[in-house]
């Protein structure tokens, strides 16, 4: 089975691209959705212990947790040490299921793929991209987004140009769904003939 890493900066259309893969029958692992589930289940006790007052009856309060870790590298490291091993276990389970089901390709949708060394766990990397003005317009139209918040998020992410330079494939989402779909079909045709390179 070929494992394709899917990544891209905020506002580039990564979630939509992941959906398009799923529509074509490709199994997609969503790292963000898995984090949400962990914050409601197995990660709650460990996070509450590390950051007292951040968890309640419904699990981890993301706003309260943000107050502890945003802008604090040491706290962020502590959080990642709790969450990353759990994420990895879920990812492995997902890949095992996809392989058992006979999927020729599986997609790992991981926002911080390059930032966390995730490119070593995949056979190729697809970066979702769009022009900067399109990206900013998309993000700033979100209800709770501010310029300051956006700058903070972008500071944690590798620059789009650097991601594109390291990618095997780039899907440009600025020309609508049909264009993105066509690009994805092209990627799937290409990976069918590519060698595996996971380490």
């Amino acid at each position: 089975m070929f494992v394709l890493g899917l990544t891209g900066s905020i506002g580039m259309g990564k979630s939509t691209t992941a959906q398009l893969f799923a529509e074509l029958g490709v199994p997609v692992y969503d790292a963000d959705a898995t984090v949400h589930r962990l914050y409601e289940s197995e990660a709650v006790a460990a996070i509450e212990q590390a950051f007292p007052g951040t968890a309640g009856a419904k699990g981890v309060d993301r706003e309260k947790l943000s107050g502890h870790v945003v802008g604090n590298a040491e706290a962020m490291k502590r959080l990642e040490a709790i969450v990353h091993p759990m994420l990895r276990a879920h990812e492995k389970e997902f890949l095992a299921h996809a392989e058992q089901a006979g999927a020729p390709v599986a997609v790992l949708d991981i926002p911080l793929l390059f930032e966390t060394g995730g490119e070593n766990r995949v056979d190729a990397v697809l970066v979702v991209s769009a022009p900067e003005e399109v990206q900013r317009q998309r993000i700033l139209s979100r209800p709770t987004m501010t310029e300051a918040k956006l700058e903070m998020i972008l500071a944690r992410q590798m620059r789009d140009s650097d991601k594109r330079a390291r990618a095997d494939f780039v899907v440009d989402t600025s020309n609508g769904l049909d264009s993105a779909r066509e690009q994805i079909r092209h990627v799937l045709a290409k990976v069918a003939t590519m060698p595996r390179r996971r380490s």
Side-chain angles (χ1 to χ4, degrees):
M1 183 176 74
F2 194 95
V3 179
L4 182 64
L6 174 69
T7 194
S9 301
I10 182 172
M12 292 300 195
K14 189 177 59 59
S15 300
T16 303
T17 304
Q19 262 174 308
L20 295 176
F21 272 105
E23 276 174 23
L24 291 168
V26 179
V28 176
Y29 167 82
D30 183 335
D32 267 354
T34 307
V35 169
H36 278 275
R37 285 201 301 276
L38 291 174
Y39 281 6
E40 291 167 3
S41 56
E42 64 200 270
V44 176
I47 290 175
E48 174 59 29
Q49 196 178 349
F51 306 100
T54 56
K58 289 181 177 163
V60 175
D61 182 320
R62 294 172 77 96
E63 284 297 311
K64 284 181 183 168
L65 183 61
S66 286
H68 284 270
V69 299
V70 171
N72 181 336
E74 190 272 329
M76 188 58 92
K77 273 206 181 84
R78 250 187 310 154
L79 177 62
E80 286 171 352
I82 295 167
V83 177
H84 283 181
M86 294 178 185
L87 272 175
R88 203 76 77 251
H90 283 275
E91 183 186 297
K92 279 184 178 155
E93 203 179 310
F94 162 83
L95 289 173
H97 282 306
E99 192 133 37
Q100 277 164 7
V105 181
V107 167
L108 296 182
D109 172 359
I110 303 176
L112 298 175
L113 183 83
F114 288 124
E115 293 86 341
T116 57
E119 73 268 29
N120 302 317
R121 302 198 309 277
V122 299
D123 297 311
V125 176
L126 184 157
V127 166
V128 182
S129 187
E132 193 183 341
E133 60 275 16
V134 174
Q135 178 194 27
R136 294 189 81 84
Q137 198 183 338
R138 285 173 179 169
I139 302 165
L140 292 170
S141 68
R142 295 178 184 181
T144 60
M145 190 54 70
T146 63
E147 284 276 359
K149 231 184 200 175
L150 172 57
E151 291 314 320
M152 213 153 54
I153 293 166
L154 291 175
R156 276 193 66 211
Q157 300 186 341
M158 184 185 286
R159 284 192 2 237
D160 178 55
S161 55
D162 294 337
K163 285 182 181 169
R164 287 198 316 266
R166 291 173 66 176
D168 298 282
F169 303 101
V170 176
V171 166
D172 181 341
T173 62
S174 63
N175 297 309
L177 287 177
D178 288 339
S179 165
R181 248 186 222 106
E182 198 44 53
Q183 293 173 72
I184 288 166
R185 284 200 184 92
H186 172 75
V187 169
L188 288 173
K190 200 98 170 83
V191 300
T193 63
M194 283 172 71
R196 315 285 180 265
R197 67 151 194 245
R198 269 168 283 169
S199 52

